[in-house]
Amino acid sequence: MIAPVEPVSHVTPRAHGAHPFLAIEGVDKSFTRGGKTSDVLKGATLNIERGEFVSIIGHSGCGKSTLLNLVAGLTQVTTGVILLENHEVNTPGPDRAVVFQNHSLLPWLTVYENVKLAVDKVFRKTKSKAERHAWVLHNLDLVHMLHAKDKRPAEISGGMKQRVGIARALAMEPKVLLMDEPFGALDALTRAHLQDSVMEIHARLGNTAIMVTHDVDEAVLLSDRIVMMTNGPAARIGEVLEIGLPRPRNRLEMVDHPEYLRARAAVMEFLYARHKSPSLVAAE
Amino acid sequence: MAVPARQLFLIETAAGCVPAAAASPPVATVIADPIVKAPVIPPISATSVAATQPARSFDFTKMLTSVATAVVPPLVVMILLGLFWEIACSSSKATLPPPSKIWTEAKDLIVHPFFINGTQDIGLGWRVLTSLQRVAIGFGFASIVGVLLGTLVGQSVWAMRGLDPIFQILRTVPPLAWLPIALAAFRDSAPSAIFVIFITAIWPIIINTAVGIRNIPQDYRNVAAVLRLNQAEFFWRIMLPSTAPYIFTGLRIGIGLSWLAIVAAEMLTGGVGIGFFIWDAWNSSRLPDIIVALCYIGLVGFALDRLVAYAGSIATRGVSAA
């Protein structure tokens, strides 16, 4: 069971805080379809501290989205356990807000109403009507989307939709922000803009974030740690790479930073030398 | 905790039953019905609306051209058909009256839709309104019950397995075949006619609502799950808006069928409606009156269809442009 959402305090772990903020312990996931069972994820173990930005990277089909969905509670673990602040995670909830790959805004609501739906649901009891209104505007402002608050998703660009998706997730004040290839469907320039926005927001709010990506530069630029997955079926966490880059990070300065180059090379080496995508191997 | 868990169950089950629905030919036929296909709510994207608005300068010639292109061709065809009809039926041996005779004999019906000369001698406007009232009640009930039953069948695999075969059989029963049963049950003609409307209109509403609910994108269900929307919130905030295009397709087929059924039902049940008027006119050999009544029925049926389509295009604004 999950405890009611407490306001995020920026106090460091409690005195007896031997428990990590988010713990993924020996998680297996298999899907059964038509009597056939296929293992997607095997023995995933990972601890994430409060305020950490962690990326999960791997080739397609390696179960990285599955791992994120497990933390989100959208799918259930087959064996193992996921603990958030020492409470088991097994259902979805606003304390683990998700930024979906394809934005998932409700097309019949305006930008404002999309965020409002989340705010009204999460803060119905704790904030007054005026406070909720102000909170929606605050979060839209955070992603620079205040000017489009009365537009419907069909009237704004893909990058703007994704911004609203991020605003909606942030507005829930999640303990962990989960992002499933949030910039995957965007062009390179928009993507860079949004990455900068996410870094800026992370610096301001200090929220814990897990991001699934298949973009090496994105992972290195944004993350404190990169979780590299081996290829499926039965994918495992292959390696966890610490990124020692100082924050705040500037895209231009990072390009020839030795640590950036080292990290980038390490991820590339993992993905393309040691754990080449099965489809690439087959093509040779 | 129980609520989201249940929703997850529904997600899987709903996803699982989509192929079954697609494989079932009757459902597919209803969806692919040409009546439906043509009008399916044009995605009025607000961008295009916004784009056209700045051109505010009133262009009369442009407006006249667009009106003319819409009105002139059917007008020409109607005049030609009328002429052909007039010539074909002007001989003394003709069994049907020519347009000129209709005009002279049924002028009062055409010109004055709303006269009252006695309980049975009233204008066709009143008769149409009486029929429309029956349709409104029957169709209204069918809409509410149809959407609720469709929701049940769309959400629950077991409800679908239990009910869908029965629906598929019952929906092929012709409307008038229900009338004797209804007369026996209600022992009165007025509720029986309404029941016939109800039972005629409800099937496409149920089936289309169910298909719409099975087609709610997984993304929306995920959003609902993360927000922990309860069943009622999910119904109002996610299910109804995202299913609206399907529901309105069902409503549009339903209203068309209702209007078809009311005329037939009224012929048998009597009373004041437009259907009974036709039967009455036939019994007293007033052929011109029947032809005028047919025109009324056609125009009203067209207007009903447009009305539901218009309501649908307003209610589903944004959804189809996703």
Side-chain angles (χ1 to χ4, degrees):
Chain A
M1 303 292 281
I2 293 159
V5 187
E6 299 160 19
V8 179
S9 64
H10 288 278
V11 184
T12 37
R14 283 153 285 185
H16 62 283
H19 304 291
F21 182 63
L22 176 71
I24 301 169
E25 288 170 9
V27 166
D28 292 355
K29 178 66 191 175
S30 52
F31 288 103
T32 307
R33 183 161 290 175
K36 264 196 247 172
T37 304
S38 53
D39 292 330
V40 180
L41 207 60
K42 202 85 186 143
T45 297
L46 180 69
N47 289 336
I48 294 173
E49 291 308 326
R50 192 191 290 275
E52 240 191 324
F53 197 115
V54 174
S55 288
I56 305 172
I57 198 166
H59 294 290
S60 30
C62 72
K64 52 190 191 294
S65 288
T66 305
L67 183 56
L68 194 86
N69 283 341
L70 289 172
V71 178
L74 290 167
T75 45
Q76 269 74 50
V77 296
T78 308
T79 52
V81 68
I82 297 175
L83 298 168
L84 175 62
E85 289 189 319
N86 225 20
H87 292 290
E88 187 180 356
V89 163
N90 49 20
T91 54
D95 56 339
R96 281 154 290 120
V98 186
V99 177
F100 297 96
Q101 181 176 7
N102 45 358
H103 67 79
S104 294
L105 299 179
L106 303 176
W108 52 88
L109 299 179
T110 63
V111 163
Y112 173 84
E113 288 164 341
N114 263 291
V115 181
K116 186 87 180 340
L117 177 68
V119 170
D120 280 349
K121 182 66 193 170
V122 178
F123 299 107
R124 185 162 31 197
K125 292 196 183 102
T126 50
K127 279 189 196 323
S128 73
K129 208 175 167 206
E131 282 171 332
R132 294 199 298 262
H133 170 75
W135 182 240
V136 172
L137 297 184
H138 169 79
N139 280 282
L140 283 174
D141 192 33
L142 205 60
V143 296
H144 311 297
M145 281 301 296
L146 205 49
H147 62 282
K149 70 181 176 67
D150 296 319
K151 293 201 165 149
R152 284 173 202 276
E155 301 169 66
I156 59 179
S157 70
M160 290 161 100
K161 282 180 212 169
Q162 206 51 277
R163 282 178 190 277
V164 179
I166 293 170
R168 177 174 64 184
L170 287 174
M172 299 178 209
E173 280 197 334
K175 291 176 181 170
V176 187
L177 180 65
L178 304 172
M179 294 180 275
D180 189 359
E181 299 193 28
F183 317 125
L186 305 176
D187 65 273
L189 284 176
T190 315
R191 177 187 281 237
H193 269 295
L194 274 180
Q195 287 166 353
D196 291 343
S197 288
V198 166
M199 273 197 288
E200 180 197 318
I201 290 164
H202 182 240
R204 264 171 79 174
L205 307 181
N207 39 14
T208 313
I210 305 177
M211 177 178 73
V212 165
T213 182
H214 49 226
D215 181 330
V216 178
D217 288 294
E218 180 172 287
V220 175
L221 184 65
L222 297 183
S223 318
D224 297 312
R225 278 192 297 160
I226 301 179
V227 174
M228 294 179 274
M229 308 280 294
T230 66
N231 288 316
R236 294 165 174 280
I237 293 179
E239 216 173 286
V240 180
L241 183 73
E242 297 266 353
I243 311 290
L245 286 170
R247 287 183 189 272
R249 296 173 184 172
N250 178 307
R251 170 181 309 280
L252 292 173
E253 289 164 15
M254 287 305 129
V255 178
D256 45 10
H257 195 290
E259 170 66 6
Y260 184 90
L261 296 174
R262 180 198 68 84
R264 195 172 182 282
V267 179
M268 297 286 261
E269 205 260 339
F270 179 91
L271 287 180
Y272 299 106
R274 281 187 282 150
H275 297 277
K276 203 173 222 180
S277 162
S279 57
L280 291 177
V281 174
E284 273 171 14
Chain B
M1 246 23 24
V3 174
R6 170 149 171 71
Q7 276 173 357
L8 280 170
F9 166 71
L10 292 174
I11 294 163
E12 287 172 11
T13 51
C17 64
V18 170
S24 145
V27 175
T29 9
V30 170
I31 300 300
D33 191 315
I35 310 170
V36 199
K37 230 180 181 177
V40 166
I41 310 95
I44 308 167
S45 84
T47 30
S48 69
V49 174
T52 49
Q53 257 174 1
R56 260 276 161 88
S57 59
F58 240 44
D59 198 342
F60 271 110
T61 39
K62 216 173 191 177
M63 218 174 74
L64 278 178
T65 329
S66 69
V67 170
T69 47
V71 171
V72 172
L75 210 65
V76 170
V77 172
M78 270 167 68
I79 290 168
L80 287 177
L81 279 177
L83 277 176
F84 173 76
W85 181 3
E86 183 72 41
I87 294 162
C89 294
S90 55
S91 80
S92 54
K93 283 184 198 162
T95 49
L96 294 175
S100 56
K101 196 178 168 200
I102 294 172
W103 176 253
T104 49
E105 286 193 12
K107 196 179 167 190
D108 58 331
L109 289 178
I110 300 168
V111 182
H112 307 289
F114 291 103
F115 67 82
I116 300 178
N117 292 341
T119 45
Q120 270 304 323
D121 190 10
I122 57 174
L124 283 182
W126 294 115
R127 292 182 186 276
V128 165
L129 283 181
T130 316
S131 300
L132 276 178
Q133 192 190 359
R134 289 186 185 131
V135 168
I137 299 170
F139 180 72
F141 275 118
S143 310
I144 296 164
V145 178
V147 168
L148 291 179
L149 274 178
T151 306
L152 180 69
V153 171
Q155 275 285 45
S156 150
V157 187
W158 283 106
M160 191 193 76
R161 286 182 189 156
L163 291 172
D164 194 56
I166 299 170
F167 290 165
Q168 297 300 345
I169 292 168
L170 288 184
R171 75 181 189 85
T172 64
V173 175
L176 284 190
W178 292 100
L179 192 60
I181 303 271
L183 283 171
F186 295 112
R187 306 205 167 273
D188 189 8
S189 64
S192 303
I194 290 170
F195 175 77
V196 169
I197 300 305
F198 170 83
I199 206 77
T200 309
I202 198 169
W203 309 116
I205 301 175
I206 292 176
I207 292 169
N208 278 284
T209 305
V211 170
I213 281 173
R214 276 178 228 138
N215 285 343
I216 294 177
Q218 185 62 43
D219 294 337
Y220 302 168
R221 292 185 185 273
N222 284 346
V223 170
V226 169
L227 288 178
R228 292 206 183 137
L229 298 187
N230 60 39
Q231 295 283 357
E233 288 167 328
F234 183 71
F235 181 79
W236 289 110
R237 306 305 301 263
I238 310 274
M239 196 185 280
L240 267 192
S242 100
T243 317
Y246 292 88
I247 294 178
F248 273 95
T249 300
L251 291 179
R252 209 166 155 190
I253 303 172
I255 194 86
L257 293 179
S258 303
W259 194 236
L260 293 183
I262 187 68
V263 173
E266 282 175 350
M267 281 186 171
L268 295 183
T269 56
V272 184
I274 189 88
F276 179 69
F277 174 83
I278 291 179
W279 193 243
D280 194 37
W282 164 247
N283 283 332
S284 44
S285 304
R286 285 183 277 120
L287 277 180
D289 290 8
I290 296 181
I291 291 167
V292 174
L294 289 188
C295 294
Y296 268 88
I297 291 171
L299 289 173
V300 171
F302 178 74
L304 283 178
D305 182 64
R306 291 283 115 186
L307 191 72
V308 177
Y310 180 68
S313 74
I314 290 178
T316 62
R317 205 177 329 181
V319 182
S320 39

